[in-house]
Amino acid sequence: MGAVFSSCGCGDGLSALLGGGAKRRQTGKGVVDAAPDGVVEAQFQRPRAGSWTSPLPKAQLQRLASPGGADFEWCEEAFSLDAQPAGGSTPAAAKASIAADPDARGRRVAEASFASPGDPRAHFLTEQLFASPGALPKAASSTDRQLRELRNTATHEMLKKLPKHLVEATGPDGQALRRRLLNGATVVFFTAGYPGKRFIFERAREMGVKSVIIEHPDSWARALVDEGVIAKFIPIDMSQDAAIVFQQTLDAIRALANDPLTREADGVVTFCELSVPVVARLTEILQLPGHSPLSVDKARDKHWTRAEMKKAGLPSPKNSLIKCEADLQAVASEVGFPAVLKPISGAASLGVKKVTGWEDLQTSYREVITELNSLVVSSGSLVKNDGSGTGVDANKVMDCTILMEQYLDGSEVDVDVVMSDGDWRYAAVTDNGPTLEPYFNETWAVCPSVLPSASQKILKDLAIATLKCLGFQDGIFHVELKLTTHGPQLIEVNARMGGGQVHETNLRVWGIDLVEETLFCGVGIPCRPYIPSREPPGGAVAYCDINATRSGTLQSLDFLKPLNGKEGIVWAKPYIQAGTKVVGPQDGLPTWLAEIVVQKSNAQEALDYLFELQNSLDPPIV
């Protein structure tokens, strides 16, 4: 079954509007959409357009289904968050850039940087990591949300001039029309993420978007202005408290209307998990397209998610909250064993652990709470308390309530979903390999799924039903589930495009660009992604994260060199540098050393090849 899309609309009238249809052109990396000829320009004339245009030439919109030599990305230097980014940004800038981005895979959460050096305060990003939504504005009620009217942006005015069935048409002509509508739009990105997300802004530039990034002053993304990738960078000190950061961001977005480079914002988006609640509230106040903050809050609170699913009659594992050690006996009796402990705040992988019995629960709970209580926010980082008296106790800004949840057996999958106008338009299932327990570290993945079509359907159906029960209407989602012996079960909902290899996988396998679809949603353009057949046009993609098998120091990156030049490898990237101390599963959450991505003609072939490569590697850890 693989990926599926929901058909609606038709192509009638598009050929006339686009002057005979969207043209195609051949490049060194495949066939791509070119700007349509003979369009009725009056239909696409953008009112109140900003003057900024990128000085860079447009690049291809799609890539070859099979990787060639030019696609292989070999990095002798570590793909590190401390590495010197392109454009002359400082290493400190790279650290600041991951503040809102748990997708940055080279670090454990306790090492991530959240503020300017020397600032000991508990602040905006720390709060969003550990106590979201914190001091952000209260979400509007469902009733008030339904009554709100969207702002009449330039994109909205253009949409009103076109027949609805043409804008919603599936197929290449419909996508060409939507791309034409997006061209010239001003889109604000709240936080940039880690440097590996640069491709997002390059893709927006290719589509003619005037990108504005709001970030910490020393972010790596600042250099993108001089490089011609984005129109504007707005520095905001993310070490301030949430109320100040939010208000300054709101004021900055409103001020764009008076900037001749950009004019008013057509939309506000993010590709960073911790920024999702912020963007939802920004768009609600600014009357722009976006998620309901109430839906976002429900999705980010695991216990609240389960409660909403139970009310909707959806399957949900037994779970209960542990607020203090005195709750352990009652909660254990309610949930049973085996079970999983998870901080209710959702602090990445910190504190997530499997427990198998009463003694294990007591020991693990104390271990998790001790770890959380031993952390302080100091010099902009979450670090162990060294007794110096500097920094703010992290437990003053984070919710240390723990969710105990029934352990889910079976295989894990991701379902990447595009929703538009209240219904799903695309859903693709990716299989995940067994996680390294008890810490649930990821190992490998393959797309399309090798599960039977019936199994894929029930997983997809649960993902979509969950999004609807949480109140989502439009957007791109990364939903994690398990197919257990008792049927499908939800792990969690991410109300944004998945990180890591998710974008590359969906683009290479199905030809669906989730960055493009995110931008459409962000400015209010309907999403109707199109797959020409039920079979994946790009074959299959498999990838893995190489975990440290033992603790010690990584001596060199030479273990990756034999992969250079091998056929079918999309890329091989180290996450860390030689000389880095790493943790094996015997001592804690394993360190990710590197990632490998391969592409073959079918899923089983891709997976077998990935395992062959993975088994050939022997990272020198001493």
Side-chain angles (χ1 to χ4, degrees), residues 109-276:
V109 90
E111 299 170 324
S113 175
F114 299 108
S116 298
D119 186 352
R121 296 174 295 167
H123 46 74
F124 170 67
L125 290 170
T126 311
E127 178 186 75
Q128 291 311 298
L129 180 62
F130 297 114
S132 177
L136 293 175
K138 185 179 178 181
S141 68
S142 298
T143 302
D144 290 342
R145 177 81 182 181
Q146 290 173 357
L147 295 175
R148 80 173 191 139
E149 293 185 4
L150 290 178
R151 181 183 297 275
N152 191 33
T153 63
T155 300
H156 193 218
E157 285 188 31
M158 295 168 68
L159 281 166
K160 289 190 295 185
K161 295 178 182 178
L162 294 167
K164 185 177 180 180
H165 74 279
L166 297 185
V167 178
E168 295 179 354
T170 57
D173 283 350
Q175 199 73 346
L177 175 64
R178 290 184 285 275
R179 287 170 178 162
R180 188 64 190 266
L181 284 168
L182 181 66
N183 183 53
T186 294
V187 177
V188 176
F189 296 79
F190 180 73
T191 63
Y194 70 113
K197 291 190 174 180
R198 176 190 172 100
F199 74 90
I200 293 168
F201 308 108
E202 292 177 338
R203 182 70 184 96
R205 187 267 305 171
E206 290 172 5
M207 300 189 71
V209 170
K210 296 174 173 63
S211 298
V212 177
I213 295 178
I214 296 178
E215 251 288 10
H216 201 67
D218 60 0
S219 168
W220 65 273
R222 191 167 197 151
L224 297 179
V225 176
D226 291 339
E227 295 175 31
V229 177
I230 66 173
K232 190 169 185 176
F233 180 90
I234 300 177
I236 288 185
D237 184 357
M238 298 292 175
S239 69
Q240 303 173 102
D241 66 46
I244 295 174
V245 169
F246 187 86
Q247 188 59 53
Q248 289 181 354
T249 301
L250 195 62
D251 293 342
I253 295 172
R254 286 171 169 157
L256 291 175
N258 299 318
D259 187 334
L261 283 177
T262 61
R263 297 303 181 190
E264 66 178 347
D266 293 271
V268 183
V269 301
T270 189
F271 289 82
C272 304
E273 178 62 27
L274 300 185
S275 297
V276 173

Side-chain angles (χ1 to χ4, degrees), residues 359-380:
E359 291 186 1
D360 192 15
L361 171 61
Q362 289 179 297
T363 302
S364 296
Y365 176 78
R366 291 166 186 161
E367 178 184 309
V368 169
I369 292 299
T370 298
E371 182 175 13
L372 297 179
N373 286 335
S374 69
L375 302 174
V376 296
V377 180
S378 180
S379 298

Side-chain angles (χ1 to χ4, degrees), residues 9-45:
C10 68
D12 294 344
L14 275 176
S15 292
L17 184 62
L18 297 177
K23 302 293 183 182
R24 310 289 282 175
R25 62 185 176 88
Q26 184 76 31
T27 74
K29 286 192 173 184
V31 177
V32 303
D33 288 312
D37 295 330
V39 296
V40 182
E41 289 299 330
Q43 304 289 114
F44 297 105
Q45 190 64 42

